[in-house]
Amino acid sequence: MSELDALFNEFDQQEQLGRTTATEPTEAAKSTTAQPPEKYAKSVLFVRGVPKDATNEELEGFFSNVGPVRSCFVVCDKKPEGSEDAPAAAENNKTVKNRGFGFVQFVLAEDAARAIEQLAETKFRDQKRLMLDFAMRKGTRDPADK
């Protein structure tokens, strides 16, 4: 019987007697099995396919049926069409078109996950479905993706 076979037999006997103990991983093993920081926010959704004339209030109303919303906004152009001063245009009630996407932050992460499940087939304004994903955390996006 080889030395290796003898070690296996000894291990088998100890295992049968319930005497085996788990060994601690080495520092090298710990560093290779460490999980990277989470790339996605758990309670923030990235919403695509938002109609260009949708408002923050409409989007918030759509998602508040699932759970309490902490914040919600559609991303708008920096300057309204044909205007040099965006804040003045907003005060004058000129239409500021959004860019077709936005973000919704729920109070609870469970509500964000439930929103993806429940609203995946629901049409916004009874017109079209929104594409929902968890938003990436700030600073985790690869600069090469820009």
Coordinates of all heavy atoms in Angstrom, one line a residue, residues 4-93:
L4 N 0.1 7.4 0.0 CA -1.1 8.1 -0.4 C -2.4 7.3 0.0 O -3.3 7.8 0.6 CB -1.2 8.5 -1.8 CG -2.3 9.4 -2.3 CD1 -2.3 10.7 -1.5 CD2 -2.2 9.7 -3.8
D5 N -2.3 6.0 -0.3 CA -3.4 5.1 0.0 C -3.6 5.1 1.6 O -4.8 5.1 2.1 CB -3.2 3.7 -0.5 CG -3.4 3.7 -2.0 OD1 -4.1 4.5 -2.6 OD2 -2.8 2.8 -2.6
A6 N -2.5 5.1 2.3 CA -2.6 5.0 3.7 C -3.2 6.3 4.3 O -4.0 6.2 5.2 CB -1.2 4.9 4.3
L7 N -2.9 7.5 3.7 CA -3.5 8.7 4.1 C -5.0 8.7 3.9 O -5.8 9.2 4.7 CB -2.9 9.9 3.4 CG -1.5 10.3 3.9 CD1 -0.9 11.3 3.0 CD2 -1.5 10.7 5.3
F8 N -5.4 8.2 2.7 CA -6.8 8.2 2.4 C -7.6 7.2 3.3 O -8.7 7.5 3.8 CB -7.1 7.7 0.9 CG -6.9 8.8 -0.1 CD1 -6.0 8.7 -1.1 CD2 -7.7 9.9 0.0 CE1 -5.9 9.7 -2.1 CE2 -7.5 11.0 -1.0 CZ -6.6 10.8 -2.0
N9 N -7.0 6.1 3.6 CA -7.6 5.2 4.6 C -7.8 5.8 6.0 O -8.8 5.6 6.6 CB -6.8 3.9 4.7 CG -7.0 3.0 3.4 OD1 -8.0 3.1 2.7 ND2 -6.0 2.1 3.2
E10 N -6.7 6.5 6.4 CA -6.8 7.2 7.7 C -7.9 8.2 7.7 O -8.7 8.3 8.7 CB -5.4 7.8 8.1 CG -5.4 8.4 9.4 CD -4.0 9.1 9.7 OE1 -3.0 8.7 9.1 OE2 -4.0 10.0 10.5
F11 N -8.0 9.0 6.7 CA -9.0 10.0 6.6 C -10.4 9.3 6.6 O -11.3 9.8 7.3 CB -8.8 10.8 5.3 CG -9.9 11.9 5.1 CD1 -9.8 13.1 5.8 CD2 -11.0 11.7 4.2 CE1 -10.8 14.0 5.6 CE2 -11.9 12.6 4.1 CZ -11.9 13.8 4.8
D12 N -10.6 8.3 5.8 CA -11.9 7.6 5.8 C -12.3 7.1 7.2 O -13.4 7.2 7.6 CB -11.8 6.4 4.8 CG -11.8 6.9 3.3 OD1 -12.2 8.0 3.1 OD2 -11.4 6.1 2.5
Q13 N -11.3 6.6 7.9 CA -11.6 6.0 9.3 C -12.0 7.2 10.2 O -12.9 7.1 11.0 CB -10.4 5.3 9.8 CG -10.1 4.0 9.1 CD -8.8 3.4 9.6 OE1 -8.0 4.0 10.3 NE2 -8.5 2.2 9.1
Q14 N -11.3 8.3 10.1 CA -11.6 9.5 11.0 C -13.0 10.0 10.6 O -13.8 10.4 11.5 CB -10.6 10.5 10.8 CG -9.3 10.2 11.5 CD -8.2 11.3 11.4 OE1 -8.5 12.3 10.8 NE2 -7.1 11.0 12.0
E15 N -13.3 10.0 9.3 CA -14.6 10.6 8.8 C -15.7 9.7 9.4 O -16.7 10.2 9.8 CB -14.6 10.6 7.3 CG -15.8 11.3 6.8 CD -15.8 11.5 5.3 OE1 -15.2 10.6 4.6 OE2 -16.4 12.4 4.8
Q16 N -15.5 8.4 9.4 CA -16.5 7.5 9.9 C -16.7 7.7 11.4 O -17.8 7.5 11.9 CB -16.1 6.0 9.6 CG -16.3 5.7 8.1 CD -15.8 4.3 7.8 OE1 -15.3 3.6 8.7 NE2 -15.9 3.9 6.6
L17 N -15.7 8.0 12.1 CA -15.8 8.3 13.5 C -16.2 9.7 13.9 O -16.4 10.0 15.0 CB -14.4 8.0 14.2 CG -14.0 6.5 14.1 CD1 -12.6 6.4 14.7 CD2 -14.9 5.6 14.9
G18 N -16.4 10.5 12.8 CA -16.8 11.9 13.0 C -15.7 12.8 13.6 O -16.0 13.8 14.2
R19 N -14.5 12.5 13.3 CA -13.4 13.3 13.8 C -12.7 14.2 12.8 O -11.7 14.9 13.2 CB -12.3 12.3 14.4 CG -12.7 11.5 15.5 CD -11.6 10.7 16.0 NE -12.0 9.7 17.0 CZ -11.4 8.7 17.3 NH1 -10.2 8.4 16.8 NH2 -11.8 7.8 18.2
T20 N -13.2 14.3 11.6 CA -12.6 15.2 10.7 C -13.0 16.6 10.9 O -14.1 16.9 11.4 CB -13.0 14.8 9.2 OG1 -14.4 14.9 9.1 CG2 -12.5 13.5 8.8
T21 N -12.0 17.5 10.7 CA -12.3 18.9 10.9 C -11.9 19.7 9.6 O -11.0 19.3 8.9 CB -11.5 19.5 12.1 OG1 -10.1 19.3 11.8 CG2 -11.9 18.9 13.4
A22 N -12.6 20.7 9.3 CA -12.3 21.5 8.2 C -11.1 22.4 8.5 O -10.9 22.9 9.6 CB -13.5 22.4 7.8
T23 N -10.2 22.5 7.5 CA -9.0 23.3 7.7 C -9.3 24.7 7.2 O -10.1 24.9 6.3 CB -7.8 22.7 6.9 OG1 -8.2 22.7 5.5 CG2 -7.5 21.4 7.4
E24 N -8.6 25.7 7.8 CA -8.8 27.1 7.4 C -8.1 27.3 6.0 O -7.0 26.8 5.8 CB -8.2 28.0 8.4 CG -9.0 28.2 9.7 CD -10.3 28.9 9.4 OE1 -10.3 29.9 8.7 OE2 -11.3 28.4 9.9
P25 N -8.7 28.0 5.1 CA -8.0 28.3 3.8 C -6.8 29.2 4.0 O -6.8 30.0 5.0 CB -9.1 29.0 3.0 CG -10.2 29.5 4.0 CD -10.0 28.6 5.2
T26 N -5.9 29.0 3.2 CA -4.7 29.9 3.3 C -5.0 31.3 2.9 O -6.0 31.6 2.3 CB -3.6 29.3 2.3 OG1 -4.0 29.4 1.0 CG2 -3.2 27.9 2.7
E27 N -4.1 32.2 3.1 CA -4.3 33.6 2.7 C -4.4 33.7 1.2 O -5.2 34.5 0.7 CB -3.2 34.5 3.2 CG -3.2 34.7 4.7 CD -4.5 35.4 5.2 OE1 -5.0 36.3 4.6 OE2 -5.0 34.9 6.2
A28 N -3.7 33.0 0.5 CA -3.7 33.0 -1.0 C -5.1 32.5 -1.5 O -5.7 33.1 -2.4 CB -2.6 32.2 -1.6
A29 N -5.6 31.5 -0.8 CA -6.9 31.0 -1.2 C -8.0 32.0 -0.9 O -9.0 32.1 -1.6 CB -7.2 29.6 -0.5
K30 N -7.9 32.6 0.3 CA -8.9 33.6 0.6 C -8.9 34.8 -0.4 O -10.0 35.2 -0.7 CB -8.6 34.2 2.0 CG -8.9 33.3 3.2 CD -8.6 33.9 4.5 CE -8.8 33.0 5.6 NZ -8.4 33.6 6.9
S31 N -7.8 35.2 -0.8 CA -7.7 36.4 -1.8 C -8.3 36.0 -3.1 O -8.9 36.8 -3.8 CB -6.3 36.9 -1.9 OG -5.5 35.9 -2.5
T32 N -8.2 34.7 -3.5 CA -8.7 34.4 -4.8 C -10.2 34.1 -4.8 O -10.8 34.1 -5.8 CB -8.0 33.1 -5.4 OG1 -8.1 32.1 -4.5 CG2 -6.5 33.4 -5.7
T33 N -10.7 33.7 -3.6 CA -12.1 33.4 -3.6 C -13.0 34.6 -3.1 O -14.2 34.5 -2.9 CB -12.4 32.2 -2.6 OG1 -11.9 32.6 -1.3 CG2 -11.7 31.0 -3.1
A34 N -12.3 35.8 -2.8 CA -13.0 36.9 -2.3 C -14.0 37.5 -3.4 O -13.6 37.5 -4.6 CB -12.1 38.0 -1.9
Q35 N -15.2 37.8 -3.0 CA -16.1 38.3 -4.0 C -15.8 39.8 -4.3 O -15.5 40.5 -3.4 CB -17.5 38.2 -3.4 CG -18.0 36.8 -3.2 CD -18.2 36.0 -4.5 OE1 -18.6 36.6 -5.5 NE2 -17.8 34.8 -4.5
P36 N -15.9 40.2 -5.6 CA -15.7 41.6 -5.9 C -16.9 42.4 -5.4 O -17.9 41.9 -5.1 CB -15.8 41.6 -7.5 CG -16.5 40.4 -7.8 CD -16.3 39.3 -6.7
P37 N -16.7 43.7 -5.2 CA -17.8 44.5 -4.7 C -18.9 44.4 -5.7 O -18.8 44.3 -6.9 CB -17.2 46.0 -4.7 CG -15.8 45.9 -5.3 CD -15.5 44.4 -5.5
E38 N -20.1 44.5 -5.1 CA -21.3 44.4 -6.0 C -21.4 45.5 -7.0 O -21.2 46.7 -6.7 CB -22.6 44.4 -5.1 CG -22.7 43.1 -4.3 CD -24.1 42.8 -3.9 OE1 -25.0 43.3 -4.5 OE2 -24.2 42.1 -2.9
K39 N -21.7 45.1 -8.2 CA -21.7 46.1 -9.3 C -23.0 46.8 -9.4 O -23.1 47.9 -9.9 CB -21.4 45.3 -10.6 CG -21.1 46.1 -11.8 CD -20.7 45.2 -12.9 CE -20.4 46.0 -14.2 NZ -19.9 45.2 -15.3
Y40 N -24.1 46.2 -8.9 CA -25.4 46.7 -9.1 C -26.1 47.1 -7.8 O -25.9 46.5 -6.8 CB -26.4 45.7 -9.8 CG -25.9 45.4 -11.2 CD1 -25.1 44.3 -11.4 CD2 -26.2 46.2 -12.2 CE1 -24.6 44.0 -12.7 CE2 -25.8 45.9 -13.5 CZ -25.0 44.8 -13.7 OH -24.5 44.6 -15.0
A41 N -26.8 48.2 -7.8 CA -27.5 48.7 -6.6 C -28.7 47.8 -6.4 O -29.3 47.3 -7.4 CB -28.0 50.1 -6.8
K42 N -29.1 47.5 -5.2 CA -30.2 46.6 -4.9 C -31.5 47.2 -5.0 O -32.5 46.6 -5.2 CB -29.9 45.9 -3.6 CG -28.7 45.0 -3.6 CD -28.6 44.4 -2.2 CE -27.4 43.5 -2.2 NZ -27.1 43.0 -0.9
S43 N -31.6 48.5 -4.7 CA -32.9 49.2 -4.6 C -33.1 50.2 -5.7 O -34.1 50.9 -5.7 CB -33.0 49.9 -3.2 OG -32.1 50.9 -3.1
V44 N -32.2 50.3 -6.7 CA -32.3 51.3 -7.7 C -32.5 50.6 -9.1 O -31.7 49.8 -9.4 CB -31.1 52.3 -7.8 CG1 -31.3 53.3 -8.9 CG2 -30.9 52.9 -6.4
L45 N -33.5 51.1 -9.8 CA -33.8 50.5 -11.1 C -33.4 51.5 -12.2 O -33.6 52.7 -12.1 CB -35.3 50.1 -11.3 CG -35.8 49.1 -10.3 CD1 -37.3 48.8 -10.6 CD2 -35.0 47.8 -10.4
F46 N -32.9 51.0 -13.3 CA -32.6 51.7 -14.5 C -33.8 51.4 -15.4 O -34.0 50.2 -15.7 CB -31.3 51.3 -15.1 CG -31.0 51.9 -16.4 CD1 -30.9 53.3 -16.5 CD2 -30.7 51.2 -17.6 CE1 -30.5 53.9 -17.7 CE2 -30.4 51.8 -18.8 CZ -30.3 53.2 -18.8
V47 N -34.5 52.4 -15.9 CA -35.7 52.3 -16.7 C -35.5 52.8 -18.1 O -35.1 54.0 -18.2 CB -36.9 53.0 -16.0 CG1 -38.2 52.8 -16.8 CG2 -37.0 52.6 -14.5
R48 N -35.6 51.9 -19.1 CA -35.4 52.3 -20.5 C -36.8 52.3 -21.2 O -37.7 51.6 -20.7 CB -34.4 51.4 -21.2 CG -33.0 51.5 -20.6 CD -32.1 50.6 -21.3 NE -32.4 49.2 -20.9 CZ -32.1 48.2 -21.6 NH1 -31.5 48.2 -22.7 NH2 -32.4 47.0 -21.1
G49 N -36.9 53.0 -22.3 CA -38.1 52.9 -23.1 C -39.2 53.9 -22.6 O -40.3 53.8 -22.9
V50 N -38.8 54.9 -21.8 CA -39.7 55.9 -21.3 C -40.1 56.8 -22.4 O -39.3 57.3 -23.2 CB -39.1 56.7 -20.1 CG1 -40.0 57.8 -19.6 CG2 -38.6 55.8 -19.0
P51 N -41.4 57.0 -22.6 CA -41.9 58.0 -23.7 C -41.2 59.4 -23.5 O -41.1 59.8 -22.3 CB -43.4 58.0 -23.5 CG -43.8 56.8 -22.8 CD -42.6 56.4 -21.9
K52 N -40.9 60.0 -24.6 CA -40.2 61.3 -24.5 C -41.0 62.4 -23.8 O -40.3 63.3 -23.3 CB -39.9 61.8 -25.9 CG -39.0 60.8 -26.7 CD -37.6 60.9 -26.2 CE -36.6 60.0 -27.1 NZ -35.3 60.1 -26.6
D53 N -42.3 62.3 -23.7 CA -43.0 63.3 -23.0 C -43.5 62.9 -21.6 O -44.2 63.6 -20.9 CB -44.2 63.7 -23.8 CG -45.2 62.5 -24.1 OD1 -44.8 61.4 -23.9 OD2 -46.4 62.8 -24.4
A54 N -43.0 61.8 -21.1 CA -43.3 61.3 -19.7 C -42.7 62.2 -18.7 O -41.6 62.8 -18.9 CB -42.9 59.9 -19.5
T55 N -43.4 62.3 -17.5 CA -42.9 63.2 -16.4 C -42.4 62.3 -15.3 O -42.7 61.1 -15.2 CB -44.0 64.1 -15.9 OG1 -45.1 63.3 -15.4 CG2 -44.5 65.0 -17.0
N56 N -41.7 63.0 -14.4 CA -41.3 62.3 -13.1 C -42.5 61.8 -12.3 O -42.4 60.6 -11.8 CB -40.5 63.2 -12.2 CG -39.1 63.7 -12.9 OD1 -38.7 63.1 -13.8 ND2 -38.6 64.7 -12.4
E57 N -43.5 62.6 -12.3 CA -44.7 62.2 -11.5 C -45.4 61.0 -12.1 O -45.8 60.1 -11.3 CB -45.7 63.4 -11.4 CG -45.2 64.5 -10.6 CD -44.1 65.4 -11.3 OE1 -44.1 65.4 -12.6 OE2 -43.4 66.1 -10.7
E58 N -45.5 60.9 -13.4 CA -46.1 59.7 -14.0 C -45.3 58.4 -13.8 O -45.8 57.4 -13.4 CB -46.2 59.9 -15.5 CG -47.2 60.9 -16.0 CD -47.2 61.1 -17.5 OE1 -46.1 61.4 -18.0 OE2 -48.3 61.0 -18.1
L59 N -44.0 58.6 -13.9 CA -43.1 57.4 -13.6 C -43.2 57.0 -12.2 O -43.3 55.8 -11.9 CB -41.7 57.7 -14.0 CG -40.7 56.6 -14.2 CD1 -41.2 55.7 -15.4 CD2 -39.3 57.0 -14.5
E60 N -43.2 57.9 -11.3 CA -43.3 57.6 -9.8 C -44.7 56.9 -9.5 O -44.7 56.0 -8.8 CB -43.2 58.8 -9.0 CG -43.2 58.5 -7.5 CD -42.9 59.7 -6.6 OE1 -42.5 60.8 -7.2 OE2 -43.0 59.6 -5.4
G61 N -45.7 57.4 -10.1 CA -47.0 56.8 -9.9 C -47.1 55.4 -10.4 O -47.7 54.5 -9.8
F62 N -46.4 55.1 -11.5 CA -46.4 53.8 -12.1 C -45.7 52.8 -11.2 O -46.2 51.7 -10.9 CB -45.7 53.8 -13.5 CG -45.6 52.5 -14.2 CD1 -46.7 52.0 -14.8 CD2 -44.4 51.9 -14.3 CE1 -46.7 50.8 -15.5 CE2 -44.3 50.7 -15.0 CZ -45.5 50.1 -15.6
F63 N -44.6 53.2 -10.6 CA -43.8 52.3 -9.7 C -44.3 52.3 -8.3 O -44.0 51.3 -7.6 CB -42.3 52.7 -9.8 CG -41.6 52.3 -11.0 CD1 -41.5 53.2 -12.1 CD2 -41.2 51.0 -11.2 CE1 -40.9 52.8 -13.3 CE2 -40.6 50.6 -12.4 CZ -40.4 51.5 -13.4
S64 N -45.0 53.3 -7.8 CA -45.4 53.3 -6.4 C -46.5 52.3 -6.2 O -46.8 52.0 -5.0 CB -45.9 54.7 -6.1 OG -47.1 55.1 -6.8
N65 N -47.1 51.7 -7.2 CA -48.1 50.6 -7.0 C -47.4 49.4 -6.4 O -48.0 48.5 -5.8 CB -48.8 50.3 -8.3 CG -49.7 51.4 -8.8 OD1 -50.2 52.1 -8.0 ND2 -49.7 51.6 -10.1
V66 N -46.1 49.3 -6.6 CA -45.3 48.1 -6.1 C -44.9 48.3 -4.7 O -44.9 47.4 -3.9 CB -44.1 47.8 -7.0 CG1 -43.3 46.7 -6.5 CG2 -44.6 47.5 -8.5
G67 N -44.4 49.5 -4.4 CA -43.9 49.8 -3.0 C -43.5 51.2 -2.9 O -43.5 52.0 -4.0
P68 N -43.2 51.7 -1.7 CA -42.8 53.1 -1.6 C -41.5 53.5 -2.3 O -40.5 52.7 -2.3 CB -42.6 53.2 -0.1 CG -42.5 51.9 0.5 CD -43.1 50.9 -0.5
V69 N -41.6 54.6 -3.1 CA -40.5 55.1 -3.9 C -39.8 56.2 -3.1 O -40.4 57.1 -2.7 CB -41.0 55.6 -5.3 CG1 -39.9 56.2 -6.1 CG2 -41.7 54.4 -6.0
R70 N -38.5 56.1 -3.0 CA -37.7 57.1 -2.3 C -37.4 58.3 -3.3 O -37.6 59.4 -2.9 CB -36.4 56.5 -1.9 CG -35.5 57.6 -1.2 CD -34.3 57.0 -0.5 NE -34.8 56.3 0.7 CZ -34.2 55.3 1.3 NH1 -33.2 54.7 0.7 NH2 -34.7 54.7 2.4
S71 N -37.0 58.0 -4.5 CA -36.8 59.0 -5.5 C -37.0 58.4 -6.9 O -36.9 57.2 -7.1 CB -35.4 59.6 -5.4 OG -34.4 58.7 -5.8
C72 N -37.4 59.3 -7.8 CA -37.7 58.9 -9.2 C -37.5 60.1 -10.1 O -38.0 61.2 -9.8 CB -39.2 58.4 -9.2 SG -39.7 57.9 -10.8
F73 N -36.8 59.8 -11.2 CA -36.7 60.9 -12.2 C -36.4 60.4 -13.6 O -35.8 59.3 -13.7 CB -35.6 61.9 -11.8 CG -34.2 61.4 -11.7 CD1 -33.4 61.5 -12.8 CD2 -33.7 60.7 -10.6 CE1 -32.1 61.0 -12.8 CE2 -32.4 60.2 -10.5 CZ -31.6 60.3 -11.6
V74 N -36.8 61.1 -14.6 CA -36.5 60.8 -15.9 C -35.3 61.8 -16.3 O -35.3 62.9 -15.8 CB -37.7 61.0 -16.9 CG1 -38.7 59.9 -16.7 CG2 -38.3 62.4 -16.8
V75 N -34.4 61.3 -17.1 CA -33.2 62.1 -17.5 C -33.7 62.9 -18.7 O -34.1 62.4 -19.7 CB -32.0 61.2 -17.8 CG1 -30.9 62.0 -18.3 CG2 -31.7 60.3 -16.6
C76 N -33.4 64.2 -18.5 CA -33.9 65.2 -19.6 C -32.6 65.8 -20.2 O -31.5 65.8 -19.7 CB -34.7 66.3 -18.9 SG -36.2 65.7 -18.3
D77 N -32.9 66.4 -21.4 CA -31.9 67.1 -22.1 C -31.4 68.3 -21.3 O -32.2 68.8 -20.5 CB -32.4 67.6 -23.5 CG -32.6 66.5 -24.5 OD1 -31.8 65.5 -24.4 OD2 -33.6 66.6 -25.3
K78 N -30.2 68.7 -21.5 CA -29.7 69.8 -20.7 C -30.4 71.1 -21.1 O -30.7 71.9 -20.3 CB -28.2 69.9 -20.9 CG -27.4 68.8 -20.3 CD -25.9 69.0 -20.4 CE -25.2 67.8 -19.8 NZ -23.8 67.8 -19.9
K79 N -30.6 71.3 -22.4 CA -31.3 72.5 -22.9 C -32.6 72.1 -23.6 O -32.5 71.2 -24.5 CB -30.4 73.3 -23.8 CG -29.2 73.9 -23.1 CD -28.4 74.7 -24.1 CE -27.1 75.2 -23.5 NZ -26.3 75.9 -24.4
P80 N -33.7 72.7 -23.4 CA -34.9 72.4 -24.2 C -34.6 72.8 -25.6 O -33.8 73.7 -25.9 CB -36.0 73.2 -23.6 CG -35.4 74.0 -22.5 CD -33.9 73.7 -22.4
E81 N -35.4 72.2 -26.6 CA -35.2 72.6 -28.0 C -35.5 74.0 -28.2 O -36.5 74.6 -27.8 CB -36.1 71.7 -28.8 CG -35.8 70.2 -28.8 CD -36.7 69.4 -29.5 OE1 -37.6 69.9 -30.3 OE2 -36.7 68.2 -29.4
G82 N -34.5 74.7 -28.9 CA -34.7 76.1 -29.3 C -34.6 77.1 -28.1 O -35.1 78.2 -28.2
S83 N -33.9 76.7 -27.0 CA -33.8 77.6 -25.9 C -32.3 77.6 -25.5 O -31.7 76.6 -25.5 CB -34.7 77.1 -24.8 OG -34.4 77.9 -23.6
E84 N -31.9 78.8 -25.0 CA -30.6 78.9 -24.5 C -30.5 78.7 -23.0 O -29.5 78.4 -22.5 CB -30.0 80.3 -24.9 CG -29.8 80.5 -26.4 CD -28.8 79.6 -27.0 OE1 -27.8 79.3 -26.3 OE2 -29.0 79.0 -28.1
D85 N -31.6 79.0 -22.3 CA -31.6 79.0 -20.9 C -32.6 77.9 -20.4 O -33.8 78.2 -20.4 CB -31.9 80.4 -20.4 CG -31.8 80.5 -18.9 OD1 -31.1 79.6 -18.3 OD2 -32.3 81.5 -18.3
A86 N -32.1 76.8 -19.9 CA -33.0 75.7 -19.5 C -33.9 76.1 -18.3 O -35.1 75.8 -18.3 CB -32.2 74.4 -19.2
P87 N -33.3 76.6 -17.2 CA -34.2 77.0 -16.1 C -35.3 78.0 -16.4 O -36.4 77.8 -16.0 CB -33.2 77.5 -15.1 CG -31.9 77.0 -15.4 CD -31.9 76.9 -16.9
A88 N -35.0 78.9 -17.3 CA -36.0 79.9 -17.7 C -37.1 79.3 -18.5 O -38.2 79.6 -18.4 CB -35.3 81.1 -18.4
A89 N -36.7 78.3 -19.3 CA -37.7 77.6 -20.2 C -38.6 76.8 -19.3 O -39.8 76.7 -19.6 CB -36.9 76.7 -21.2
A90 N -38.0 76.2 -18.3 CA -38.9 75.4 -17.4 C -39.9 76.2 -16.6 O -41.0 75.9 -16.4 CB -38.0 74.6 -16.4
E91 N -39.4 77.4 -16.3 CA -40.3 78.4 -15.6 C -41.4 78.8 -16.5 O -42.5 79.1 -16.1 CB -39.5 79.6 -15.1 CG -38.6 79.2 -13.9 CD -37.7 80.4 -13.5 OE1 -38.0 81.5 -13.9 OE2 -36.8 80.2 -12.7
N92 N -41.1 78.9 -17.8 CA -42.1 79.4 -18.8 C -43.0 78.3 -19.3 O -43.7 78.4 -20.3 CB -41.4 80.1 -20.0 CG -40.7 81.3 -19.5 OD1 -41.1 82.0 -18.5 ND2 -39.6 81.7 -20.2
N93 N -42.9 77.1 -18.7 CA -43.6 75.9 -19.0 C -43.4 75.4 -20.5 O -44.2 74.8 -21.1 CB -45.1 76.1 -18.8 CG -45.5 76.3 -17.4 OD1 -44.8 75.6 -16.5 ND2 -46.5 77.1 -17.1

